[in-house]
Amino acid sequence: MDKVEFVEKFKARTKKFSIEIIWFYERLRKTDSSRVVGRQLLRSATSVAANYRAACNARSQAEFFAKVSIVVEEADESLFWSEVIDESEMSKDEKLNWLTQECTEIVKVVSKARKNARKS
């Protein structure tokens, strides 16, 4: 797979992740705490796809590094909130396991991209 193909597939992957988070949030039992934590997850997870897309359209290496750094932060925050939902037992939805795993993989990929961008 060449770089262009990887980038397009990863854009689609982060968008799918965002959409899956939206659907997960819609199914989440609504309590005061789950609304707060769920919205935090929703905000950070949807930001992953939007900022990755922005990073791909960066006009310079410095801009790419800045945008991909935001993606790393937002993906890691999404991972945090999914862990909070799991460990507090706000949800028993099996989809949460997939979301957490997908988020972990996204963090690894964008962290490596940021590390490579720093070397350039």
Side-chain angles (χ1 to χ4, degrees):
M1 177 180 338
D2 69 353
K3 185 178 179 181
V4 173
E5 185 180 359
F6 175 83
V7 166
E8 290 307 311
K9 284 188 177 194
F10 203 71
K11 276 186 200 177
R13 184 177 180 180
T14 58
K15 184 195 280 185
K16 180 180 187 223
F17 174 70
S18 294
I19 292 167
E20 293 289 341
I21 289 287
I22 292 167
W23 290 339
F24 173 80
Y25 177 76
E26 291 300 318
R27 291 187 310 272
L28 192 60
R29 188 186 56 166
K30 300 302 187 274
T31 63
D32 288 344
S33 57
S34 69
R35 278 188 185 91
V36 170
V37 173
R39 284 187 183 131
Q40 289 290 99
L41 174 62
L42 192 59
R43 185 201 55 76
S44 60
T46 54
S47 178
V48 169
N51 280 294
Y52 182 72
R53 188 178 189 136
C56 293
N57 294 321
R59 295 167 294 206
S60 67
Q61 191 66 21
E63 186 177 352
F64 174 81
F65 184 81
K67 292 290 184 185
V68 84
S69 292
I70 293 169
V71 177
V72 172
E73 289 176 27
E74 296 292 347
D76 187 58
E77 183 178 336
S78 299
L79 184 56
F80 172 78
W81 293 120
S82 69
E83 290 169 353
V84 167
I85 290 170
D86 183 40
E87 292 172 26
S88 66
E89 300 180 354
M90 282 182 193
S91 174
K92 301 288 188 195
D93 191 334
E94 288 299 316
K95 190 70 166 188
L96 184 58
N97 293 332
W98 180 87
L99 293 169
T100 302
Q101 181 59 39
E102 182 67 359
C103 194
T104 300
E105 291 176 23
I106 289 170
V107 168
K108 288 178 184 178
V109 170
V110 292
S111 293
K112 183 163 182 141
R114 180 174 65 175
K115 186 177 181 181
N116 290 340
R118 184 179 295 149
K119 291 178 185 176
S120 300

